[in-house]
Amino acid sequence: MDETLLRDLTPGVLGILVRRGADFAAAEDAVQEALVDAVRVWPADPPRDAKGWLVTVAWRRFLDAARADAGRRRREESVDEEPAPGPVPAVDDTLQLYFLCAHPSLTPSSAVALTLRAVGGLTTRQIARAYLVPEATMAQRISRAKRTVSGVRFDRPGDVATVLRVLYLVFNEGYSGDVDLVAEAIRLTRRLAAAIDHPEVAGLLALMLLHHARRAARTGADGSLVPLAEQDRGRWDTGAIAEGVAILQGALARDRLGEFQAQAAVAALHADAPAAEETDWVQIVEWYDELARLTDSPVVRLNRAVAVGEADGPRAGLAALAALDGSLPRYTAVAAYLHERDGDLTTAARMYAEAARKATDLAERDHLTRQAARLNSACGGA
């Protein structure tokens, strides 16, 4: 495969698509997909006219994307115009897209990328920027995902749990790049909630809204992290909180508790407290007990140890923490916090510094480093 030839042909192919009426961003997207196909096909079956082959394939890709985007807009308008309750139609291509994108044969990262492309309508370039990877890399990932699921049939209902897991992964990608993946995840989940009557879909939407409501207060003017207990609650979005709580209450009334409803219940208890010291930690521990029963997740048990430390005192929290694997992400940071609460500032400072060295997120690392410096200063001044 002559990669130099592909690079040389790309501008000309792009120009032909634009002259045919494609907008520049869509043309770039189509050409990238054609290049991926070329890398896959040409070694075994080289074309006689390389440029003509690329133009033909790219134009087909552009037309396919245009039809898909038109169908997506029609589905969005239909949801906006008629959000009436009732049973979901037997054939719903929007739901089919969700279930296709969340097919178990895909890796989580591929499923997320395909969901953003096929259901969210983002371009390959936007998704690549959001994930901070080269556009060609993302184009290959999406193309492989499409090929993987190209033969999937929908003779049986899709796996709602897998769809929700994909949307949760999109939400947790955060705010990187020029695409706000948190807002995109909420938009996608709203569409799913309008189309399918399922308490866990509602639970996930409530969880997203309740977490997103605190967005403005999560960072300081300098971009530093602000812990939940120190956030200015006057900056929380009360409208989003009210909507999230109402959605959660409706889901819980169905008496079909699931993981996302339980997580949303914890978030609702935090949102309901007028001040950090008024948080109902006893109820939060009870909800973490439910979550641990539902998921058996070590991360849930780690968060439960923090809640136990608030409800029953730091030593009870440390006892709960001692039963967990010390290699868990954030274990050392939680231990530092509980030791500080227990008055052991020297140990807490050392553990904050250790947690900072382990942190992969820059903002979190800076926050933990500042915590260590604060306690070291306090110990030195004592």
Side-chain angles (χ1 to χ4, degrees):
M1 170 60 62
D2 188 344
E3 295 184 4
T4 302
L5 173 62
L6 288 178
R7 284 196 299 270
D8 290 344
L9 291 175
T10 297
V13 175
L14 183 60
I16 290 173
L17 264 64
V18 171
R19 287 194 295 275
R20 287 185 179 184
D23 68 84
F24 191 80
E28 279 190 313
D29 209 26
V31 171
Q32 286 295 334
E33 294 197 21
L35 292 173
V36 172
D37 284 349
V39 171
R40 178 172 56 87
V41 172
W42 286 10
D45 185 19
R48 283 177 293 181
D49 179 3
K51 184 174 182 179
W53 190 98
L54 286 172
V55 169
T56 299
V57 172
W59 184 247
R60 287 174 183 165
R61 294 291 190 183
F62 165 73
L63 292 177
D64 288 344
R67 292 188 195 102
D69 287 345
R72 175 178 57 82
R73 284 193 296 272
R74 286 195 299 271
R75 290 191 298 271
E76 288 175 344
E77 290 165 2
S78 174
V79 169
D80 290 340
E81 291 169 4
E82 191 180 2
V88 178
V91 178
D92 186 321
D93 58 348
T94 301
L95 287 181
Q96 287 183 347
L97 281 174
Y98 276 108
F99 294 127
L100 178 66
C101 295
H103 193 265
S105 62
L106 295 175
T107 64
S109 60
S110 293
V112 170
L114 191 57
T115 299
L116 291 171
R117 183 72 186 92
V119 188
L122 276 65
T123 66
T124 301
R125 169 173 287 188
Q126 287 174 314
I127 301 169
R129 286 178 177 171
Y131 277 84
L132 305 178
V133 299
E135 186 176 352
T137 300
M138 184 56 67
Q140 290 177 347
R141 183 180 300 175
I142 294 172
S143 185
R144 284 195 300 267
K146 287 178 180 178
R147 290 197 300 273
T148 299
V149 300
S150 60
V152 173
R153 298 182 62 186
F154 294 96
D155 299 326
R156 292 175 295 178
D159 182 1
V160 176
T162 304
V163 175
L164 295 181
R165 183 62 54 192
V166 168
L167 291 173
Y168 190 50
L169 287 171
V170 175
F171 182 81
N172 284 334
E173 284 300 324
Y175 313 103
S176 60
D178 64 350
V179 177
D180 186 339
L181 291 182
V182 169
E184 184 64 18
I186 292 173
R187 187 182 74 83
L188 292 170
T189 308
R190 281 191 189 280
R191 288 179 56 195
L192 188 61
I196 185 170
D197 184 17
H198 193 293
E200 273 291 81
V201 177
L204 179 58
L205 179 57
L207 175 64
M208 289 178 175
L209 289 169
L210 289 164
H211 278 312
H212 193 50
R214 302 199 300 262
R215 177 175 183 172
R218 279 202 183 100
T219 55
D222 59 353
S224 60
L225 287 181
V226 180
L228 177 61
E230 299 172 18
Q231 288 176 13
D232 178 359
R233 299 185 178 217
R235 299 183 66 196
W236 289 2
D237 184 341
T238 55
I241 291 172
E243 183 186 4
V245 169
I247 291 171
L248 173 63
Q249 289 173 339
L252 292 175
R254 304 278 296 277
D255 199 24
R256 289 168 53 195
L257 184 64
E259 172 188 356
F260 293 117
Q261 294 168 74
Q263 286 192 56
V266 172
L269 286 166
H270 283 298
D272 187 54
E277 57 271 17
E278 298 179 60
T279 304
D280 190 342
W281 286 105
V282 173
Q283 271 204 71
I284 289 177
V285 171
E286 291 172 355
W287 277 112
Y288 275 127
D289 287 338
E290 289 287 349
L291 262 174
R293 179 182 61 80
L294 289 165
T295 67
D296 195 30
S297 164
V299 175
V300 167
R301 297 187 186 280
L302 183 69
N303 290 332
R304 180 185 178 277
V306 176
V308 168
E310 300 290 351
D312 300 327
R315 294 197 177 182
L318 287 167
L321 189 66
L324 303 178
D325 184 348
S327 65
L328 277 171
R330 294 186 56 248
Y331 179 99
T332 309
V334 168
Y337 173 74
L338 291 171
H339 277 293
E340 180 183 359
R341 290 272 330 276
D342 195 39
D344 187 351
L345 303 189
T346 301
T347 300
R350 175 177 55 79
M351 298 194 84
Y352 274 130
E354 181 183 344
R357 290 192 294 272
K358 294 178 179 178
T360 56
D361 179 81
L362 181 59
E364 182 180 2
R365 185 187 310 155
D366 289 346
H367 170 72
L368 292 168
T369 301
R370 284 193 296 271
Q371 295 294 83
R374 173 178 59 83
L375 292 188
N376 281 324
S377 177
C379 292

